[in-house]
Amino acid sequence: MAENTDISDRLSELAKVYAGGNKTRFAQMLGTSEANIRNYIDNGKLPKFDFIKKVCETFEISYEWLISGIGEMEKKRREYGNNLGSSDIDDNSRRIPIIDIEAAAGNGTLNIDHMEILGYVTIPECMLQSHTATYYAIRSRGDSMFPIILDKDMLIVRVLDREEWQNIRDKHNYPNFTIEAGNLHFVLYPELRLSPHLPNINTTYASRLKDLEDRIDEIDIWRKRIEG
């Protein structure tokens, strides 16, 4: 990775990697204002150490790289996979923050300006629909979305741009509920589901076999009626 000579360049690079270059989202991830981010990136204002510490801890970035441009951007580590497996980062993977949100069908509220990052999960870029959008990983809660989404599944969600909202379609016929326009500020669209729940092949096979046997019995009954 090329070494940048100015901290503003390195902050700009982080914004591209973790927020698709969107300064508003980058500011939200760090719990600061967009004005501060623009001052650091566009106007060359030097950030205070508290901000540098926040950046390094949030994204697990090397202090030495952020301050001086020396060395590698990310610390040498294994990805936090939350029991879903882990892998080293490469140029073909996206490091997605796991945030403290639990999803369920129905109503709820969320302040996106104050999200706690619990860790990160690495997803191959080829599995994501966008290479520039902001992604988060969240958990599902309960069985309100069964059988499509199960309890404790991990969902990889994309923050939709406002012009994408009109294209959202519900393919699973969940019950409708009303949201006031003034209360809808952003939409998290699930693209991937990572589940610890493995299907029981034996149970599925037995169920289908029982259905087949019932149909054969029914056909046999009708055959006997016709012959008799």
Side-chain angles (χ1 to χ4, degrees):
M1 181 177 296
E3 292 183 359
N4 297 321
T5 58
D6 196 286
I7 193 171
S8 62
D9 294 333
R10 293 186 287 279
L11 288 173
S12 178
E13 183 174 350
L14 291 175
K16 291 177 182 177
V17 171
Y18 295 104
N22 188 306
K23 295 183 177 66
T24 301
R25 292 171 185 164
F26 190 57
Q28 291 170 348
M29 296 175 76
L30 293 169
T32 188
S33 67
E34 182 182 355
N36 281 340
I37 296 298
R38 292 192 178 278
N39 278 332
Y40 299 147
I41 293 178
D42 299 332
N43 302 328
K45 180 180 178 180
L46 290 176
K48 295 181 179 179
F49 180 76
D50 287 347
F51 177 79
I52 292 175
K53 182 173 182 287
K54 177 69 173 178
V55 172
C56 292
E57 290 180 350
T58 298
F59 303 117
E60 298 186 21
I61 297 302
S62 164
Y63 280 90
E64 184 179 24
W65 176 85
L66 182 57
I67 294 171
S68 67
I70 298 174
E72 295 294 324
M73 180 176 76
E74 293 170 327
K75 296 178 181 178
K76 298 295 183 181
R77 50 164 169 65
R78 299 287 292 182
E79 274 300 283
Y80 172 76
N82 204 18
N83 296 325
L84 291 173
S86 59
S87 62
D88 293 323
I89 289 181
D90 57 39
D91 293 338
N92 298 316
S93 300
R94 175 79 72 90
R95 184 167 174 259
I96 297 174
I98 303 170
I99 56 177
D100 190 18
I101 294 177
E102 292 184 326
N107 294 304
T109 59
L110 168 66
N111 186 349
I112 199 171
D113 293 326
H114 298 85
M115 297 186 300
E116 181 183 356
I117 296 179
L118 305 177
Y120 295 88
V121 63
T122 300
I123 299 294
E125 283 279 2
C126 63
M127 296 179 66
L128 304 175
Q129 294 183 18
S130 172
H131 299 302
T132 58
T134 297
Y135 283 88
Y136 298 111
I138 65 177
R139 288 286 187 187
S140 61
R141 184 189 70 224
D143 297 322
S144 59
M145 295 178 282
F146 178 85
I148 307 303
I149 298 174
L150 307 181
D151 187 36
K152 302 303 181 184
D153 282 353
M154 178 176 286
L155 306 176
I156 305 300
V157 298
R158 172 165 54 96
V159 181
L160 294 186
D161 293 327
R162 186 172 289 270
E163 56 267 23
E164 295 180 279
W165 293 5
Q166 63 183 347
N167 299 321
I168 298 176
R169 297 291 182 268
D170 182 4
K171 300 178 182 179
H172 305 296
N173 298 318
Y174 290 119
N176 293 327
F177 53 89
T178 302
I179 301 177
E180 297 295 333
N183 295 329
L184 186 61
H185 302 290
F186 63 94
V187 175
L188 301 179
Y189 181 80
E191 286 190 7
L192 298 173
R193 178 175 72 96
L194 309 179
S195 179
H197 305 285
L198 295 176
N200 189 327
I201 297 176
N202 292 329
T203 300
T204 303
Y205 173 79
S207 176
R208 292 184 176 181
L209 180 60
K210 180 64 167 59
D211 289 341
L212 180 60
E213 290 174 342
D214 290 342
R215 292 182 181 182
I216 292 175
D217 290 341
E218 185 176 351
I219 292 173
D220 189 53
I221 291 173
W222 279 103
R223 180 185 60 81
K224 290 178 180 179
R225 288 180 179 177
I226 293 173
E227 290 177 351

